[in-house]
Amino acid sequence: MPYQHIQLPADGQAITVQADQTLKVPDRPIIPFIEGDGVGRDVTPVMLKVVDAAVARAYGERRSIRWMEVFAGEKAARLYGADTWLPDETLQAVREHVVSIKGPLTTPVGGGIRSLNVALRQALDLYVCLRPVRYYQGVPSPLREPEKTNMTVFRENSEDIYAGIEFEARSDKAQQLIGFLRDQMGERKIRFPETSAIGIKPVSIEGSQRLMRKAIQYAIDHNKPSVTLVHKGNIMKFTEGGFRDWAYEVAAKEFGGELLDDGPWMRVKNPATGKSIIIKDVIADAFLQQVLMRPAEYSVIATLNLNGDYISEAVAAQVGGIGIAPGANLNEQVAMFEVTHGTAPKYAGKDYVNPGSSILSAEMMLRHMGWTEAADIIVRSLEAAILSKKVTYDFARLMEGATQVSCSGFGQVMIEAMAELD
Ligand SMILES: NC(=O)C1=CN([C@@H]2O[C@H](COP(=O)(O)OP(=O)(O)OC[C@H]3O[C@@H](n4cnc5c(N)ncnc54)[C@H](OP(=O)(O)O)[C@@H]3O)[C@@H](O)[C@H]2O)C=CC1
Ligand SMILES: O=C(O)CCC(=O)C(=O)O
Ligand SMILES: [Mg+2]
């Protein structure tokens, strides 16, 4: 079906998923991208340029990406009409082309539209939010030994309080629901029933277990020592506590997990290496203290949606912050790579912020496509740029002797560094 506003590149081909779930990637893959609101218009063009340069450096003329702009957020509303924030053809293009990348999209606090980021993840059922957090040499950090922070956050991406089921205080629906809870369920714990807004936190066995399956598989594939479940199951027993119990169940039933001492911690054998992977859990508040004080004890983290939002940003702050923290939204069919930061409106259009989050999200994308040589070039040129101390404001303000460069300037430093790589 032809698109209305999306321009399909003439000489590109879609990436496809094969029967064994591996990707078939042509040499001229069409990759849809959403520029994003706010600083999206600063970082996304820089990311495109850096990726093109890395692909050219790695493969010469043999391979190149055919970028295809698709629309969401403010740009979509301008193109398709005032209330069309997430056009159907954007979802269609992202589904049909399998691999895509997006910049940040605005979500107003309080009233107005609900999160388009969450809407995209839900509409495509991208149930894994994967956010690796690692240290790059030279990055300013508040820690004495930042290299000990090396974690991969698996955040459940489709349910929890983040599903957006909530009812405004004093609305008919909130009153109906409170009445139902009080009269039909005998619930007496709502402190101010007349003026309470109500939010619903759905957490399912399926949702929890499919996330945990991916987290353990990742630990196996990447030779990681542990998977830690982070939850607040002491207080939210059936949602967060359920998540913990159902996740342990996956470890035991599907990966042969054996209890350590009396449990519930377990040991899963990595079939590839023969080594043990420890499956453990920790309560979220204790975790946030421990990742600062003993980061080396944590490797793969599996957690619910809201916890994962907080945790991924807190842990990223230990090694440079969200300016360089990448992410991906995944399921078996579709992979949408995504910056972890937002639209940072005060910096929008100023060519100022760090494009690293967008560039490293693209690096994850190239690796996902099997274009590892280009991905490696991105990592090495990013490291070289940081070591040269030509960095954006967020790093420059914490580094001694740094030269501050613009968003596009940093991309340029990376591209120049690529020419120097052997
Ligand atoms: N995935 C997405 O699309 C996301 C969208 N959002 C949305 O973005 C909007 C703004 O959210 P807000 O809470 O202000 O969070 P933001 O992430 O947009 O900005 C918060 C702060 O983070 C720092 N920061 C953000 N991006 C960069 C960058 N590229 N380089 C360096 N520093 C950066 C800045 O800190 P400082 O000023 O200290 O330098 C900035 O003020 C909201 O509408 C929110 O809903 C939020 C998160 C994710
Ligand atoms: O969708 C939003 O506006 C914020 C989402 C967010 O902070 C995240 O997913 O990390
Ligand atoms: Mg966030």
Side-chain angles (χ1 to χ4, degrees):
M1 200 171 66
Y3 299 118
Q4 188 189 354
H5 289 294
I6 299 172
Q7 305 282 327
L8 192 69
D11 64 339
Q13 287 173 296
I15 294 173
T16 49
V17 183
Q18 304 178 109
D20 64 356
Q21 289 196 353
T22 58
L23 295 185
K24 186 162 178 219
V25 181
D27 285 340
R28 305 269 180 275
I30 298 175
I31 300 198
F33 72 95
I34 295 170
E35 181 183 77
D37 299 328
V39 293
R41 86 178 102 124
D42 301 292
V43 297
T44 302
V46 175
M47 176 275 290
L48 299 178
K49 230 173 136 178
V50 168
V51 172
D52 283 343
V55 169
R57 179 80 173 81
Y59 310 116
E61 295 194 349
R62 188 160 68 82
R63 285 177 168 166
S64 71
I65 293 174
R66 296 291 179 257
W67 298 105
M68 177 171 80
E69 182 163 15
V70 303
F71 305 94
E74 289 159 13
K75 222 168 171 178
R78 281 199 299 275
L79 262 177
Y80 293 79
D83 277 329
T84 310
W85 301 96
L86 187 53
D88 287 344
E89 67 175 20
T90 294
L91 290 172
Q92 184 197 332
V94 162
R95 250 191 224 109
E96 285 173 355
H97 292 85
V98 177
V99 171
S100 58
I101 186 160
K102 72 176 275 292
L105 295 168
T106 301
T107 310
V109 177
I113 49 165
R114 288 214 170 263
S115 167
L116 296 173
N117 307 302
V118 175
L120 265 165
R121 298 166 194 164
Q122 286 177 344
L124 299 164
D125 196 30
L126 298 170
Y127 65 91
V128 174
C129 177
L130 175 64
R131 293 186 170 175
V133 179
R134 57 159 284 198
Y135 174 67
Y136 290 95
Q137 219 196 333
V139 165
S141 162
L143 301 188
R144 256 184 299 135
E145 298 174 301
E147 64 286 353
K148 289 190 171 167
T149 298
N150 187 356
M151 296 176 211
T152 309
V153 179
F154 276 75
R155 165 192 182 191
E156 201 292 321
N157 220 13
S158 67
E159 42 181 18
D160 191 8
I161 203 82
Y162 237 84
I165 309 167
E166 51 170 15
F167 304 100
E168 201 173 0
R170 295 202 169 95
S171 67
D172 287 348
K173 285 186 173 170
Q175 286 304 303
Q176 264 178 40
L177 196 50
I178 291 168
F180 174 79
L181 290 170
R182 192 185 50 216
D183 303 337
Q184 310 289 316
M185 311 281 287
E187 185 53 71
R188 292 285 177 272
K189 291 197 287 282
I190 299 176
R191 177 71 184 83
F192 295 111
E194 303 302 319
T195 60
S196 286
I198 292 280
I200 305 279
K201 181 180 171 80
V203 177
S204 66
I205 299 174
E206 287 93 329
S208 303
Q209 294 196 331
R210 66 181 180 170
L211 190 264
M212 183 56 169
R213 204 167 285 128
K214 289 288 183 202
I216 299 180
Q217 194 57 53
Y218 180 94
I220 291 172
D221 295 343
H222 295 82
N223 193 18
K224 299 286 183 184
S226 64
V227 177
T228 304
L229 301 161
V230 182
H231 61 86
K232 191 71 186 172
N234 51 335
I235 301 298
M236 290 166 276
K237 293 182 188 301
F238 301 131
T239 50
E240 303 252 343
F243 169 77
R244 182 195 88 142
D245 295 346
W246 302 323
Y248 273 128
E249 213 173 277
V250 169
K253 288 197 180 146
E254 298 179 26
F255 294 91
E258 290 170 2
L259 292 184
L260 284 169
D261 301 324
D262 292 334
W265 288 25
M266 284 180 191
R267 181 191 295 120
V268 161
K269 191 167 165 198
N270 186 331
T273 62
K275 287 190 204 158
S276 288
I277 300 171
I278 304 301
I279 313 292
K280 53 186 175 170
D281 74 283
V282 58
I283 292 175
D285 41 0
F287 173 79
L288 286 171
Q289 166 173 273
Q290 288 178 10
V291 283
L292 266 178
M293 299 173 85
R294 302 199 302 279
E297 289 180 18
Y298 296 98
S299 175
V300 177
I301 310 301
T303 193
L304 287 173
N305 209 336
L306 180 63
N307 294 334
D309 190 6
Y310 297 156
I311 286 168
S312 56
E313 202 154 317
V315 179
Q318 297 179 192
V319 284
I322 46 176
I324 58 158
N329 304 297
L330 309 166
N331 65 21
E332 281 70 20
Q333 294 294 317
V334 174
M336 176 181 263
F337 295 82
E338 179 182 20
V339 294
T340 57
H341 60 73
T343 55
K346 66 184 172 185
Y347 301 127
K350 295 189 173 157
D351 190 18
Y352 190 65
V353 295
N354 194 333
S357 172
S358 182
I359 292 169
L360 287 174
S361 299
E363 183 269 339
M364 288 174 74
M365 179 183 84
L366 292 167
R367 226 170 269 291
H368 182 78
M369 290 159 56
W371 289 19
T372 46
E373 297 81 1
D376 289 343
I377 286 172
I378 289 194
V379 170
R380 289 172 64 207
S381 61
L382 179 95
E383 282 171 337
I386 293 169
L387 285 174
S388 78
K389 296 195 174 185
K390 289 181 196 148
V391 288
T392 45
Y393 82 100
D394 50 328
F395 285 8
R397 69 186 168 191
L398 299 170
M399 276 164 105
E400 261 179 52
T403 306
Q404 186 173 325
V405 295
S406 62
C407 178
S408 58
F410 187 75
Q412 201 48 44
V413 175
M414 279 186 69
I415 291 169
E416 281 159 21
M418 283 176 202
E420 305 293 316
L421 298 175
D422 36 64

